[in-house]
Amino acid sequence: MRFPLAVAASAAMLAVSGRADQTPAPAAPAAPAALTNSVGMEFIRIEPGTMQVGVFHPDCANGARSGGPGSGRAAAAAPAADGRAAAGVPGAGSPAAAPAGAPPGPGRGAPRDPRMAWDEADKAACEAATQADRSDGYPVTLKKPYLIGRTEVTQAQWMAVMGTNPSLFQGDRVTNPEKHPVEGVTWQDTQAFVKALNAKEKTTTYRLPTEFEWEYACRAGGPGQQTWTDIRSQAVLGLGLAGRGGGNRGGTPPAAAPAEPVAPETPAQYTARTGMTNEVGTKAPNAWGVYDMLGNVWEWVADPYNGKIFPDPTPPKSGAVHVLKGGGFASDVKNAICATHSFGPGDSFAVGFRIVKDLP
Amino acid sequence: MFDMHVIGRPHVVAATLALMLCAGAGALRAEIPPGFTRIFDGKTTKGWHFSGTVHHGTTGLATVTKDGILQLTQRPFGQGGLFITDKIYKNFHLYLEVKLPFASNSGIFLRSTEGGSAYQVELVQGGATGALIGEGLRLSQGIPAPDLTSIWKIDEFNAIEVRMEGDAPHITIWINGVKTGEVQEPRNDQIGGVVGGHIGLQLHWLDTYEPASVSGGGMSNAMKPGHPVEFRNIAVKELP
């Protein structure tokens, strides 16, 4: 059993652990907001429950399979230098990349050296390492219901509370900047926002989510590792550019050609070419109706970073560096998963947050 | 000298012994070009840090041998990282030496963001070493992988130089003293119009946390277990 201590198995979770991920999950119906506050922030009510945190089950099977020429799938895939254009590897879907199964192209592809293949010793070393590192994690129970932002805090909401806008992707750089997530915020900035919002509404119930509250709402009953299909349906990735799929790559560029004079660009054209946040709520919500937990902007949570790949059952009480969750528009299907336990500062243009509200 | 995590790997111990023998023969250590400043001191990792948000991983291991070699090792196996300078560089000429085991996947990140959006000179032993690509960056114009048959030394350190100048950068790459690629980018491709960034050394990821992707996603032939990627004599000459 993959999740021996796991929570009540939801349909979504079974689909994932059964790897029945060829068909995109149907978009969840829009869940009704439990609350809309004074600045238009919508909140989804999250019910109590348990999740298994820190599950780490690396798998050597693909390494063994993809060891080199004549070794199965990888032999038929593009002979990319680094396996990146091989089937299933991020970037394979980018428009300019060679499609899986394509013959060697004149671009960056170089003939694949048979010495790249894994031998029996390599496979055994991998098995030993992954067995040693394997972890089934530990259960975390969220005992009380809470409200979490249906989307990341937008620039309009930030401005309504703070009167300023620290975001890079504002003004004439994007269309409808007010609907884009606020970014360019430090963890300390989020504390100032929460304080100001609480004062504005004469309450003390708004705060950053704990990492566990954030991850539980992100997983929506599923595991910490999402399928790439689900990630691509839910996350603004691929530099936030239309048609860029879930990979993070700039794409395999064309071979060098004589440089031609280029026309001047408007700020919007520059942004649309090089990457940006997207409006919140443009991708599919997760199973509980929460948007953009994966991709678009990284999100600050309350917890200091513990220096490890996964959170500890009890987070550090203090620390100058805080945890970032969920990935941003320049992230990848590799790390835009609910379990990713990253840390600041990150790229300020891709770092924002959402908030929770305590229930009475 | 080594973290316990590394000592446990027989390949590493063997490689280290081989290096020590080479060092004994006096053939190991090259010098940096005149006018350049070392940005890796050969003793510590001062001035460098791992990115906390790159998708390759955030818990990689950087160790320095007594011979002044920086070794980057996955930790845990399957999770790599991006080891970047604390300092930001805009126009510069970079010199470094790299030794790559077969199937390693590394790269030199140029004008990198903290999170690893960068121009990248690919470093893959057995693959497209020397190609210019974009990572988390939509590159206008790349450089195809050069034919290194008569240039690259397998199982030895190889010298790589990259000169990068201009807002729409002009990029030139030399490997072991031979110019292998040059491009004048038509535009700046950096997110948000920034010009400049960190210099980074990539240690590619291999595996997801759980085998949950569409078509595998595990151990994507990018790094054999037990073989660190090694760098030394990393130096920069900043340009106006």
Side-chain angles (χ1 to χ4, degrees), chain B residues 158-183:
Chain B
N158 291 268
I160 303 194
E161 287 179 66
V162 187
R163 188 179 178 97
M164 186 168 197
E165 279 184 287
D167 290 8
H170 188 104
I171 301 169
T172 313
I173 304 169
W174 294 264
I175 299 180
N176 290 330
V178 178
K179 186 163 86 174
T180 58
E182 184 171 14
V183 65

Side-chain angles (χ1 to χ4, degrees), chain A residues 14-25:
Chain A
L14 287 173
V16 168
S17 51
R19 304 184 71 166
D21 51 6
Q22 296 302 316
T23 306

Side-chain angles (χ1 to χ4, degrees), chain B residues 58-81:
Chain B
T58 56
T59 54
L61 179 65
T63 49
V64 183
T65 74
K66 70 180 179 60
D67 301 312
I69 296 166
L70 173 66
Q71 297 186 318
L72 300 182
T73 305
Q74 294 194 331
R75 180 176 62 178
F77 180 60
Q79 307 302 313

Side-chain angles (χ1 to χ4, degrees), chain A residues 107-270:
Chain A
R108 47 187 288 230
R112 192 179 167 80
D113 193 299
R115 284 168 288 188
M116 292 176 81
W118 288 29
D119 61 20
E120 292 307 313
D122 294 324
K123 294 173 189 172
C126 182
E127 289 295 344
T130 52
Q131 282 303 313
D133 294 330
R134 186 180 173 90
S135 170
D136 291 332
Y138 55 89
V140 171
T141 298
L142 286 295
K143 293 176 181 167
K144 291 164 51 180
Y146 55 98
L147 301 178
I148 193 162
R150 188 206 283 273
T151 71
E152 294 153 342
V153 174
T154 66
Q155 294 182 28
Q157 292 159 358
W158 178 279
M159 285 189 285
V161 174
M162 305 297 282
T164 57
N165 186 357
S167 306
L168 176 67
F169 297 110
Q170 60 166 300
D172 56 5
R173 285 193 162 109
V174 294
T175 307
N176 300 326
E178 67 280 2
K179 295 181 183 174
H180 285 240
V182 69
E183 22 83 14
V185 290
T186 64
W187 187 88
Q188 287 72 22
D189 292 336
T190 69
Q191 301 305 295
F193 176 89
V194 164
K195 186 176 178 184
L197 179 60
N198 277 326
K200 180 177 166 62
E201 296 198 1
K202 298 182 171 53
T203 179
T204 57
T205 52
Y206 292 111
R207 55 183 173 80
L208 275 191
T210 66
E211 180 169 11
F212 292 150
E213 287 171 334
W214 189 99
E215 185 165 333
Y216 181 70
C218 178
R219 291 163 60 153
Q225 166 81 61
Q226 282 58 55
T227 69
W228 289 359
T229 302
D230 282 350
I231 296 166
R232 287 175 173 135
S233 72
Q234 295 177 15
V236 172
L237 292 176
L239 300 173
L241 305 179
R244 297 294 299 160
N248 78 320
R249 310 299 168 189
T252 302
E260 297 173 5
V262 293
E265 291 175 299
T266 65
Q269 287 169 330
Y270 183 94

Side-chain angles (χ1 to χ4, degrees), chain A residues 2-3 19 21-22 55-60 62-63 66 73-74 81-84 87-90 106-108 110-113 115-118 122 125-126 129-130 133 168-169 173 223-229 239 241 244 248-250 253-257 259 262-263 265 270 272-275 298 305 308-310 324 329-330 332 334-335 337 339 342-343 345-347 349, chain B residues 5 9 11 50-59 75-79 102-105 113-117 120 122 124-129 131-146 154 182-194 202 204-227:
Chain A
R2 185 165 293 282
F3 299 96
R19 304 184 71 166
D21 51 6
Q22 296 302 316
V55 176
F56 189 67
H57 292 160
D59 179 7
C60 291
N62 284 342
S66 62
R73 191 186 68 210
D82 55 0
R84 188 174 296 157
V89 175
R108 47 187 288 230
R112 192 179 167 80
D113 193 299
R115 284 168 288 188
M116 292 176 81
W118 288 29
D122 294 324
C126 182
T130 52
D133 294 330
L168 176 67
F169 297 110
R173 285 193 162 109
Q225 166 81 61
Q226 282 58 55
T227 69
W228 289 359
T229 302
L239 300 173
L241 305 179
R244 297 294 299 160
N248 78 320
R249 310 299 168 189
V262 293
E265 291 175 299
Y270 183 94
R273 178 174 62 81
T274 55
W298 288 93
Y305 178 59
K308 301 175 185 176
I309 188 171
F310 292 115
L324 286 168
F329 66 86
D332 188 280
K334 167 62 172 60
N335 65 336
I337 63 174
S342 279
F343 57 96
D347 292 327
F349 56 67
Chain B
H5 184 79
R9 305 276 166 86
H11 287 88
F50 277 107
S51 166
T53 47
V54 75
H55 66 285
H56 295 295
T58 56
T59 54
R75 180 176 62 178
F77 180 60
Q79 307 302 313
F102 271 107
S104 58
N105 186 328
T113 67
E114 178 73 27
S117 289
Q120 182 188 179
E122 185 82 310
V124 178
Q125 182 64 64
T129 296
L132 179 73
I133 62 175
E135 172 144 330
L137 174 143
R138 196 174 195 176
L139 186 65
S140 291
Q141 198 162 289
I143 296 176
I154 293 171
E182 184 171 14
V183 65
Q184 171 62 56
E185 294 294 343
R187 302 177 190 274
N188 177 17
D189 295 329
Q190 290 192 257
I191 297 166
V194 172
Q202 179 206 48
H204 204 284
W205 69 275
L206 274 76
D207 203 11
T208 49
Y209 289 0
E210 297 178 64
S213 71
V214 173
S215 48
M219 304 296 169
S220 50
N221 70 44
M223 194 76 65
K224 291 184 185 182
H227 299 275

